[in-house]
Amino acid sequence: MTPVELSRTVLSAVRRAVDAGELSVAVPARAQVAPPGLGGCGDYATNIALQLARPAGRPAAQVAEILRPHLAGTDGVADVTITGPGFLNIRLGGGETAVASLVREIGRGSYGHGDALAGQVLPLRIPYDIRAEVVADTLVRIIATQGGQALVQYDGPPPPTDPTSTGPTSADPTPADPTPADPAPTDPAPADPTSTDPTSTDLALTDPPHTGLPAAPTPITPTHSTLATPTPLRPVPAPEDPTPLGVDAGRWALLRPAGHDRPRIGDAHLLQRESNPLFRVRYAHARTRALTRNAAALGFTATPGDVPEADELLGALAEYPRVLRVAATHRAPDRLARHLVTTADALLALQHLVLPLGDEKPSAAHRARLALAEATGTVLAGGLSLLGISAPDYL
């Protein structure tokens, strides 16, 4: 059972408790599940009882006691334990392990994509500033993962053209107030919103989305019911031109800090050492590809299974869908960038256990670790692609 499937199972348990008259609450749209924290147990934990305590007019522990039998009797759930103020700790059973389920879910593709913004058209207003353009370009792709479509508009007239400038320039914008009667045109065959052009030398695409930025996978025609209130994006501008860093390091320098923080532009983003977070993320991805190649040379391939020593990495992978959702709904690509660093660090701490050492023969444990490493590489590559940064197989 995957985290997404378990979330649906938790909501079904709530619905059964409501139908039985045991709880008088509105069934929430989603239930958060994650690896248990300190003092927890099992494969996953949920705070749904704490979430429903106030609307139910009951203590969270009592709500948890009501929900426990509805969860415990579900296929794929072996046991449910209540800890702390009312956390439901769930141990899976009757099928493959939680690790194997998560690895298989990642392998199916589009991991982390959801419907939090389904059918919504989100206008983003930005100034003529390279950091704002890079943030908006990235949000177009991140918002698309949640079923929405971002329309980027420049706020105000363009600055005077400097004929001596060699940096990125912006095309003339269309009016910054799209209406249902005059929607922003979209390409009839839009490009994959997660793809990047490794040969490009610009940090941000030179045109705003109404003239060329990546569109959502399925174009949405704005209507009064779907067009949201424009969101102003005004991140703190970079103190100097980031283009000499190149596409990957330049975009990372602008995207990793929160919008209210001033980005640091310097050669530190180019260093091939552990002190550079961008290097660690890209190196971790390259390591996952190297592990696959080395395993093939040793005559074994990945098979999803249990990896008991990988709690930190599993937690990071399980959190990825929530991070994507928050990055989209809060218009905060920095959340994704920082989470990729967390995921990469967890992988690098484990990668030395993936391959057999010395005369050791490949075992089921090695195959399971390799499967987890490959799944991590998929997540890292997908996250970097959303940021517009390349993920090399060799580094």
Side-chain angles (χ1 to χ4, degrees):
M1 185 181 298
T2 67
V4 173
E5 292 168 339
L6 182 57
S7 177
R8 297 192 190 113
T9 298
V10 171
L11 292 179
S12 296
V14 174
R15 191 171 292 109
R16 287 194 295 272
V18 170
D19 292 343
E22 299 174 82
L23 286 176
S24 180
V25 295
V27 179
R30 60 173 53 89
Q32 183 178 346
V33 296
L38 187 65
C41 59
D43 297 304
Y44 291 101
T46 177
N47 65 349
I48 190 68
L50 284 76
Q51 181 181 340
L52 297 177
R54 176 170 292 181
R58 298 168 181 262
Q62 189 176 37
V63 175
E65 287 288 355
I66 292 172
L67 294 176
R68 191 175 69 83
H70 292 285
L71 265 175
T74 304
D75 290 341
V77 175
D79 185 44
V80 179
T81 304
I82 301 172
T83 60
F87 292 103
L88 289 162
N89 294 258
I90 303 166
R91 182 169 62 85
L92 302 180
E96 62 184 6
T97 66
V99 180
S101 295
L102 179 61
V103 168
R104 292 189 192 281
E105 182 181 7
I106 293 172
R108 285 195 286 267
S110 299
Y111 179 64
H113 292 213
D115 58 1
L117 299 175
Q120 297 186 40
V121 179
L122 308 169
L124 306 175
R125 288 189 175 179
I126 64 171
Y128 282 85
D129 170 72
I130 189 170
R131 188 183 185 196
E133 291 174 344
V134 169
V135 169
D137 174 42
T138 303
L139 283 173
V140 168
R141 290 186 288 274
I142 293 177
I143 288 172
T145 69
Q146 303 304 307
Q149 179 183 1
L151 301 178
V152 183
Q153 311 135 16
Y154 283 106
D155 200 3
T161 302
D162 181 358
T164 65
S165 173
T166 58
T169 60
S170 299
D172 293 337
T174 57
D177 187 16
T179 63
D182 186 21
T186 56
D187 189 332
D192 181 351
T194 63
S195 66
T196 58
D197 180 5
T199 64
S200 172
T201 58
D202 291 337
L203 301 190
L205 298 182
T206 57
D207 293 328
H210 42 264
T211 57
L213 275 181
T218 304
I220 304 170
T221 301
T223 67
H224 286 292
S225 60
T226 60
L227 191 63
T229 303
T231 300
L233 286 179
R234 292 187 173 276
V236 176
E240 56 186 290
D241 182 12
T243 54
L245 295 176
V247 176
D248 292 331
R251 290 182 69 96
W252 181 266
L254 298 176
L255 291 171
R256 184 173 181 249
H260 55 75
D261 292 331
R262 186 176 299 278
R264 296 180 179 180
I265 308 300
D267 292 342
H269 296 292
L270 300 173
L271 296 177
Q272 302 280 313
R273 59 180 63 169
E274 291 184 1
S275 60
N276 180 4
L278 174 59
F279 171 73
R280 296 205 304 276
V281 173
R282 299 174 83 222
Y283 176 69
H285 170 266
R287 281 299 299 152
T288 66
R289 299 299 185 253
L291 289 170
T292 298
R293 295 191 298 269
N294 293 339
L298 293 174
F300 76 98
T301 57
T303 302
D306 196 20
V307 186
E309 61 272 29
D311 288 349
E312 185 176 351
L313 179 56
L314 290 170
L317 294 177
E319 273 286 286
Y320 183 73
R322 188 190 69 82
V323 170
L324 263 190
R325 184 174 69 250
V326 170
T329 56
H330 290 253
R331 321 290 190 261
D334 57 286
R335 303 283 189 95
L336 172 59
R338 291 197 298 273
H339 189 72
L340 292 181
V341 177
T342 299
T343 305
D345 289 345
L347 181 279
L348 292 174
L350 182 74
Q351 54 99 14
H352 66 284
L353 299 175
V354 174
L355 299 177
L357 299 177
D359 295 332
E360 190 179 10
K361 300 296 183 183
S363 65
H366 293 112
R367 294 184 177 88
R369 293 174 194 142
L370 178 61
L372 182 60
E374 290 179 347
T376 304
T378 298
V379 169
L380 292 174
L384 286 170
S385 180
L386 290 174
L387 297 178
I389 297 172
S390 65
D393 288 351
Y394 297 86
L395 193 63

